[in-house]
Amino acid sequence: MARITAGVASSHVPLLGVAVDQGKSDDDYFGPIFKGYEWTREWEKTEKPDVVILVYNDHASAFDMKIIPTFAIGCGERYKSADEGWGPRPVPDVEGHPDLAWHIAQSLILDEFDMTIINEMDVDHGLTVPMSMMFGQPEKWPVKVVPLAVNVVTYPVPSGNRCWALGEAIGRAVESFPEDLNVQIWGTGGMSHQLQGPRAGLLNREWDNRFLDMLESDTDEARYISHLEYLRETGSEGIEMVMWLIMRGALGKRVKSLHRHYHIPCSNTAIGHLVLEPERSEAKEGVAA
Amino acid sequence: MKQDIHEYLADLEDIPGTRVFTAKRARQGYWLNQFAMSLMEPENRAAWKADERKYLDTWPMSDAQKEAILARDYNRCLDLGGNVYFLAKVFSTDGLSFAEAVSTMTDMTFPEYREMMLQGGRSPEGNRSIKANLAAKGAGNPQEGN
C-alpha cells in the first residue's frame, strides 16, 4: 500500500531559484537561508521518497485569468519548467506519476472534492523552487511529482478548513492506492509577505512562529484562521499558508517535528520551513499490544 | 463555517494600503492582466518594447489603465484591477527585480525599502485595520483611512 511518510513545508520565493541557478546559495545574503535546508537535503537522501504530492500555487504562468481552478491536480506524464518572462529555470523536467495522480483525483471526487484535472501544463517557481531547496541541482529529479495547484490569488481563495479537509482526503486516497509507494506531501508558499501597495514589505515573525508551533502540535486550530486574519497579520500574500494546511491535514492528528527553520528576509518574504512525520495511531496500538 | 458574503467582502476592504484581488477587481482588470500576461511570449515582448502605446492599443483596456501602465504607476494599476503577479510580467520585461518593483508602491526608495526588509520588514503594528486606525485617531477624519 502507498503511505504518506512525511510532510514538508517551505516558502517558494523565486529569488531562491535565482540563487541556486546562479551559484549564490552560500553568499552572505542567501547562506543563512540555505543552511536551514541542509538537514532536509541529507534527510531526503536517506528517505528516498518515490513520489511527492506538491501543493503550490501558479503565479500567472500556466493559468492566466481565463481559467481559475480552486484545486487542480496534475495527472500528466511530465511537466516543463515555465518561462516566467526571463526564460525557463534551467532545471530538469518534472516527471509525473499519472497512476497515483488519477487515483487521487478519482478518490477525491468520490470523497466530494470536485477537482480540476490538468493533463498538460508548465510548472513555475512555486513548484520548482521547493524541488531545488530539497534536492539541489541533480541532472534528473530523484522523485516523481503529483502537482496540486491551489488558487490563492483571486478571492475568495479556499478556506483553511477546506484545505485541511482536502489534506485529510488526500491521506485517505493515498492509503487506498495498492502499489507500495513512499509518498511525501509538501505544502509550499508563505510565510508572511506583501508584494503590493503602500503596505508592501509587511512581515510578522511572531505570528509566523505561532503558526509553525500550531502545525507542529496536535491541535487543528490553524484550520479556522480566517482569510481576514492572514491579510491583517501576514500581508496580502501570506494567504499562501493555507497550502501548508493541506499538507498538515494529510498527516493526521499527531505529528513529530523533525526540523524547523525560519529566516527573515528573502527579498520581500519571510522564509519558513518544517519537516513533519505522521505518528500513526495504528503504530501506537501496535506498541501497546 | 459559512460566512456572510457581504461582510466578508467589506472586511477585505479594511486592510490599510492593500487592494485585495476580489472578483470585482478581477473583472475590472481582466484585460489589463491579460495584456500583462501576453508579455510571456517573446514576440509580444518585442512588439511592446518597439512601441508601448501601439501595443497597448491592441488591447480593450480603459484609457486610465493604459496611462497607468505607461507611467509604471503600479498602485494605480492595482486600483484599476491589476494583480501583482500579472504586473510582474511588465516589470520583469523592464528588468526590475520583484523587490525593486514592489518598493515603487511604497513611500520609500529601493535602498530604503531593502534596508527595512533587512531590519525585519514592515511591522503589522498600526497596519492591520483602516477602521481601527480611524478609531485610534478619534475618528476625526473619516476620509484619511488609507
Side-chain angles (χ1 to χ4, degrees):
Chain A
M1 295 297 249
R3 67 220 178 274
I4 292 182
T5 56
V8 175
S10 175
S11 306
H12 60 216
V13 184
L15 193 61
L16 293 175
V18 176
V20 171
D21 301 341
Q22 298 181 359
K24 292 180 186 166
S25 53
D26 56 3
D27 72 12
D28 287 349
Y29 188 85
F30 292 108
I33 299 171
F34 281 82
K35 210 156 181 51
Y37 285 83
E38 279 174 6
W39 184 90
T40 314
R41 285 195 189 186
E42 289 306 310
W43 171 80
E44 288 287 10
K45 282 181 201 159
T46 56
E47 286 292 303
K48 295 190 180 53
D50 299 300
V51 189
V52 169
I53 299 168
L54 206 159
V55 183
Y56 75 110
N57 65 295
D58 179 82
H59 305 76
S61 303
F63 307 122
D64 58 12
M65 291 305 295
K66 271 185 206 159
I67 299 174
I68 307 169
T70 297
F71 295 120
I73 183 166
C75 294
E77 296 280 352
R78 58 183 49 247
Y79 310 93
K80 289 203 173 302
S81 166
D83 181 345
E84 299 181 52
W86 42 83
R89 285 195 62 210
V91 292
D93 283 1
V94 173
E95 202 181 333
H97 196 304
D99 288 340
L100 178 64
W102 272 109
H103 171 81
I104 294 172
Q106 295 174 87
S107 305
L108 290 176
I109 292 165
L110 290 175
D111 216 350
E112 301 183 337
F113 287 86
D114 307 312
M115 305 297 290
T116 298
I117 290 155
I118 307 284
N119 286 306
E120 286 184 45
M121 66 173 170
D122 291 343
V123 289
D124 73 9
H125 70 265
L127 187 143
T128 63
V129 163
M131 293 288 280
S132 299
M133 299 309 286
M134 261 42 95
F135 299 126
Q137 294 176 289
E139 284 196 10
K140 179 178 180 291
W141 295 121
V143 288
K144 295 182 177 179
V145 174
V146 175
L148 201 150
V150 181
N151 166 43
V152 288
V153 174
T154 304
Y155 278 73
V157 304
S159 69
N161 187 45
R162 189 66 176 158
C163 288
W164 191 290
L166 176 65
E168 292 172 332
I170 290 170
R172 291 191 289 274
V174 169
E175 278 171 19
S176 65
F177 188 68
E179 201 181 320
D180 186 25
L181 289 177
N182 175 355
V183 180
Q184 292 185 357
I185 182 163
W186 296 2
T188 73
M191 296 190 83
S192 53
H193 63 306
Q194 172 145 345
L195 303 177
Q196 55 128 320
R199 189 180 180 246
L202 186 132
L203 297 179
N204 194 337
R205 179 185 291 272
E206 197 187 335
W207 195 99
D208 285 344
N209 277 287
R210 275 207 305 274
F211 185 78
L212 293 171
D213 292 344
M214 275 189 250
L215 296 202
E216 283 180 319
S217 72
D218 292 352
T219 174
D220 68 348
E221 61 190 290
R223 68 198 291 172
Y224 302 115
I225 298 168
S226 67
H227 291 168
L228 188 63
E229 179 170 344
Y230 287 107
L231 284 161
R232 288 204 200 289
E233 299 293 335
T234 73
S236 49
E237 277 63 45
I239 192 66
E240 290 178 348
M241 281 183 268
V242 296
M243 296 187 290
W244 293 32
L245 302 182
I246 298 176
M247 174 279 287
R248 183 62 186 83
L251 300 182
K253 184 170 169 55
R254 287 195 180 79
V255 291
K256 185 173 164 198
S257 180
L258 302 180
H259 182 63
R260 172 169 167 165
H261 172 49
Y262 186 80
H263 177 84
I264 279 179
C266 177
S267 183
N268 306 285
T269 306
I271 297 292
H273 172 44
L274 272 182
V275 180
L276 304 173
E277 198 174 63
E279 281 190 17
R280 298 284 178 213
S281 51
E282 304 88 78
K284 277 194 184 301
E285 281 158 25
V287 171
Chain B
M1 284 298 285
K2 275 201 197 122
Q3 302 188 52
D4 179 284
I5 186 169
H6 305 291
E7 282 174 23
Y8 174 85
L9 293 174
D11 282 346
L12 299 185
E13 302 304 317
D14 185 47
I15 315 295
T18 304
R19 299 289 176 267
V20 180
F21 196 57
T22 54
K24 188 177 168 198
R25 292 200 175 89
R27 285 181 65 186
Q28 186 190 11
Y30 185 79
W31 289 113
L32 168 60
N33 291 318
Q34 292 298 76
F35 141 75
M37 190 74 188
S38 76
L39 300 180
M40 298 274 278
E41 301 292 332
E43 57 272 29
N44 292 336
R45 282 203 288 270
W48 160 250
K49 280 184 173 168
D51 187 336
E52 293 190 354
R53 180 81 218 192
K54 190 173 159 200
Y55 185 71
L56 276 180
D57 283 340
T58 65
W59 291 87
M61 293 158 58
S62 71
D63 287 342
Q65 288 173 331
K66 291 178 189 174
E67 295 306 323
I69 285 286
L70 290 171
R72 305 298 194 270
D73 183 344
Y74 291 115
N75 278 327
R76 184 88 181 115
C77 290
L78 296 175
D79 282 338
L80 298 171
N83 174 274
V84 73
Y85 291 123
F86 290 84
L87 299 174
K89 314 302 177 193
V90 180
F91 59 70
S92 68
T93 303
D94 286 339
L96 254 61
S97 73
F98 227 111
E100 184 168 4
V102 164
S103 74
T104 69
M105 294 181 245
T106 69
D107 59 3
M108 285 170 232
T109 63
F110 181 40
E112 287 166 352
Y113 179 82
R114 215 169 24 193
E115 186 55 27
M116 174 182 77
M117 298 316 290
L118 287 171
Q119 298 307 319
R122 185 186 303 281
S123 167
E125 288 306 319
N127 281 311
R128 291 185 170 97
S129 162
I130 295 169
K131 280 187 223 148
N133 289 354
L134 283 173
K137 271 198 216 164
N141 285 311
Q143 61 274 51
E144 272 184 29
N146 227 334

